[in-house]
Amino acid sequence: MTKVSGLLLVSERRAIAGLAGLYASRMLGLFMVLPVLALYADALSGSTPLLIGLALGVYGLTQAVLQIPFGLLSDRLGRKPVIAFGLCLFMLGSMVAAQADSIQGIILGRCLQGSGAVAAAIMALLADQTREQVRTAAMATIGLSIGVAFGVAMVLGPLVSTHFGLAGVFWLTAGLALVGLVVLWKLVPPAPRRSRHRDVGLDRRQLSSVFRRSDLWRLDISIFSLHLLLMAIFVAVPLRLVNAGIEVQRHGWIYLSVMVVAFLIMVPLVIVAEKRRRMKLMCLGAIAAITLSLLGLGLVSGLAGLLAWLMVFFTAFNLLEATLPSMLSKLAPAGAKGTAMGVYSTSQFLGAFLGGVMGGWLSQEWGLGAVFIGCALLGLVWFVVMVGMTPPRHLSSEIVALDERCKDDNLDMLMEQFSCVAGVEDVMVVPSERLAYLKVDHEHLDKQALAALTDPDKGEAIWRV
């Protein structure tokens, strides 16, 4: 028998490195415009605060609408062709925005950027390239790359725009898309298979059961609100820094300082949330901190207060970015994690779109301070919604490969055998995929009983059916 270990194969390392870099470079291009667009809007014809906000967030609308169709197309046409097409759309949008001299041109470019909605296809390709026992770590690497991309974008956007203007930011984004195409075809190895993955891809048959879960809806509302608030405040934050006496060329270093301190504070909080099982407490604390920071940003005018409240905001923002997906993984039913994550991601992009519009509208009607006050009120509503949430149980998702002799008529017996193992809280057996999806409580898991159902050398089920 061939031993299957949790160590990464060479092909898996290449796939994870390439796809994480591809995902991160794409998000870097989308995020770099956040800290600079409001500063350069005066040079664009037809510019208004509302249209600036729309330009910031409109990518989220096309992303939300098209990410599921792109994912389904990748099942039919192949991952790499669909991802390549999406990157070409992203590059085209960047080039349109780079050459635009009006706010309408920027909006069009951002729409095209978002229409390259290949996030689901990238995650599906990652699943194709990795074994079940290393897939969670591979997906975590993608998540980490997104966080790094956001931090880098906050610094790189102001630095690039200082030397090359707003057009330079979009030309750099187009260049990153071109590099992504090279990485896709040269670094990422060909997928050994193309199939649907319930831990990654969306299954339309599971949507109704996911929609009925109030605990999952609260997490969807949370990621929606989080990215709505982020996009809304970037209509005003760059201008507030200028009003506080910070020159545009120094904005990148200000964001760098704030993000580094916020990250250092956030890390131990994430550890406490995970290790001591204080997920709900940390979540509520972060929402409260965001709400207070927004109120503070709306009331203060001095530089010290502005930086202090920004640090509070980004500490809480990073904490929620790290813990919300973890909570989703714990709460999602066995075999439905991919579907739950698809709804969650769509909520995130819709939040980004509406946040840009809301921030622009508040700024246009009542000024910069109103952006923060309005966002603080929304934060208060968000907090009230989350108070009633049941703390998530500390469950882990596990995938067990079944023996090839497993047939559909053995489904009830297989599920019963898994369900009888102490610590297995939920199970979905899919004989057609030869996989069993489990939700387990490792503290109470009867490892001996589970081992009796699996071959410890091979890591696969040994059903004698």
Side-chain angles (χ1 to χ4, degrees), residues 4 77 104 143 191 229 268 273 281 284 292 316 319 365 398 400 443:
V4 181
L77 305 179
Q104 290 81 5
L229 297 177
L281 179 63
L284 289 175
L292 288 174
L319 177 60
E365 296 296 324
E398 303 287 347
V400 177
E443 280 199 356

Side-chain angles (χ1 to χ4, degrees), residues 383-398:
F383 181 87
V384 171
V385 169
M386 291 299 289
V387 165
M389 180 180 182
T390 302
R393 297 183 61 190
H394 204 74
L395 303 179
S396 301
S397 299
E398 303 287 347

Side-chain angles (χ1 to χ4, degrees), residues 69-79 81-82 194-196 204:
F70 265 71
L72 296 176
L73 274 177
S74 75
D75 290 335
R76 293 174 175 267
L77 305 179
R79 313 293 191 208
V82 169
R194 185 170 77 244
S195 58
R196 294 188 177 183
R204 285 172 290 182

Side-chain angles (χ1 to χ4, degrees), residues 80 112 118 131 205 213 263 334-335 352 418:
K80 284 193 174 184
L112 287 170
V118 295
R131 295 160 296 156
R205 294 169 296 182
R213 292 278 299 267
F263 178 79
F418 273 121

Side-chain angles (χ1 to χ4, degrees), residues 33-59 102-108 110 166 170 231-239 352-364 368 371:
V33 73
L34 296 187
V36 299
L37 181 58
L39 299 174
Y40 292 87
D42 288 342
L44 300 170
S45 65
S47 179
T48 67
L50 176 59
L51 293 180
I52 292 171
L54 179 60
L56 282 173
V58 73
Y59 82 91
S102 68
I103 192 66
Q104 290 81 5
I106 298 291
I107 292 171
L108 175 60
R110 293 283 280 176
L166 184 61
F170 287 113
M231 205 61 57
I233 68 170
F234 270 103
V235 175
V237 165
L239 298 174
F353 166 64
L354 291 176
V357 174
M358 187 186 85
W361 175 69
L362 289 173
S363 177
Q364 181 166 298
L368 298 181
V371 176

